[in-house]
């Protein structure tokens, strides 16, 4: 099928490459042209376009969406996160409702990750007989060099805009729907600058999610055991990923009342395996035993292909707006929607 990718930056290039590898005909419109609003002169007849990807800077999402929808009223659009800035939320909602035949999906990689699915299955296996006590999720990387090079500079979303959307996706996969909705509507008991968000709700597991773009590791003890390379072990031991290092300390841990832990660790073979970014592991540990399940695969690519299929299925009705992430992010100074 014919796919138009708007945005020729790193993320746009990844979309284009993976869709092309899957056999689709992909055309990329340069991001600079997006600012000039003349890019659609380069696009074929809308009847020939099966799907669009909007991978431009967040500040341009709303005008780019408006232009695509005016060009193709029933467009299928994969929109990079975040969908828009907080002050644009109402405008985006009105724009989408003007085009009821269109479908828009905000890219949600971890919602379709095979590693997250395996993790969730393990949690549910034990959750039927063992109460979940606490859920801890951390996504830490030192992004100071990226910021110095002009990436990840966001004056509106700040720290939550980097990693919190992903962590919410994982949390949503673990908690029952009613508990997740309750979580989103509950003011955290504490929010710290680096940023650590702690939430305690009667009758529910304690939830703590943490991210640092300065490389300050918050929970070295919960996933550090899973990393096999000496460089990674050294950084985790010191609870600090130094400037310029590519280590990403990303994990989700579920602690049960019995003392058992189910822990999902992303990229544990950093510094050891060439393809470490596509190797993840689920660990099940208690006082008597330890088990590990390895999950291989590029979950970014997998998520794109799954979401493309969801977008392009025929005979679908327009889905309603879903706003739970928006409610949670509003507490943190930001907003997020899916449509």
């Amino acid at each position: 099928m014919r796919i138009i990718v708007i945005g020729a930056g790193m993320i746009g290039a990844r979309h284009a490459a993976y869709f092309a590898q899957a056999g689709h005909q992909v055309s990329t419109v340069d991001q600079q042209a997006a600012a000039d609003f003349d890019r659609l002169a380069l696009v074929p007849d809308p009847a020939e376009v099966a799907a669009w990807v909007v991978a431009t800077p967040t500040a341009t999402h709303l005008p780019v969406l408006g232009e695509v929808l005016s060009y193709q009223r029933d467009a299928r659009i994969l929109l990079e996160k975040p969908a828009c800035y907080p002050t644009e939320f109402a405008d985006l909602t009105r724009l989408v409702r003007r085009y009821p035949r269109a479908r828009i999906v905000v890219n949600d990689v971890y919602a379709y990750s095979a590693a997250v699915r395996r993790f969730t299955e393990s949690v549910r296996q034990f959750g039927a007989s063992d109460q979940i006590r606490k859920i801890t999720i951390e996504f830490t990387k030192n992004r100071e060099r990226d910021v110095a090079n002009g990436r990840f500079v966001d004056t509106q979303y700040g720290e939550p805009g980097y990693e919190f959307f992903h962590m919410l996706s994982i949390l949503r996969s673990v908690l029952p729907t009613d508990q997740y909705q309750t979580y989103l509507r509950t003011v955290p008991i504490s929010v710290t600058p680096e940023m650590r968000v702690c939430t305690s709700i009667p009758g529910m597991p304690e939830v703590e999610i943490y991210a640092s773009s300065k490389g300050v590791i918050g929970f070295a003890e919960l996933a550090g055991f899973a990393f096999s390379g000496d460089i990674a072990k050294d950084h985790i031991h010191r609870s600090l990923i130094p400037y310029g290092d590519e280590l990403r300390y990303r994990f989700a841990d579920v602690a049960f009342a019995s003392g058992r832990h189910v822990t999902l660790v992303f990229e544990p073979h950093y510094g050891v395996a060439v393809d470490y970014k596509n190797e993840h592991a689920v660990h099940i540990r208690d006082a008597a035993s330890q088990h590990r399940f390895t999950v291989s695969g590029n979950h970014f690519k997998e998520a794109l292909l799954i979401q493309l299929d969801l977008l392009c299925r025929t005979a679908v009705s327009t889905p309603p707006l879903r706003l739970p992430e928006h409610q949670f992010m509003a507490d943190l100074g930001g907003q997020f929607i899916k449509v």
Side-chain angles (χ1 to χ4, degrees), residues 14 22 63 160:
R14 290 181 69 188

Side-chain angles (χ1 to χ4, degrees), residues 258-302:
S258 66
R260 177 187 290 114
H261 284 257
V262 176
T263 310
L264 167 61
V265 184
F266 296 100
E267 304 174 11
H269 300 307
Y270 169 81
V272 176
V274 174
D275 196 31
Y276 73 91
K277 288 188 176 182
N278 295 325
E279 294 287 339
H280 317 290
V282 175
H283 294 260
I284 300 172
R285 299 168 291 141
D286 57 27
S289 62
Q290 295 190 28
H291 302 281
R292 182 185 68 186
F293 300 93
T294 298
V295 183
S296 301
N298 184 322
H299 50 216
F300 186 88
K301 180 179 179 180
E302 293 168 354

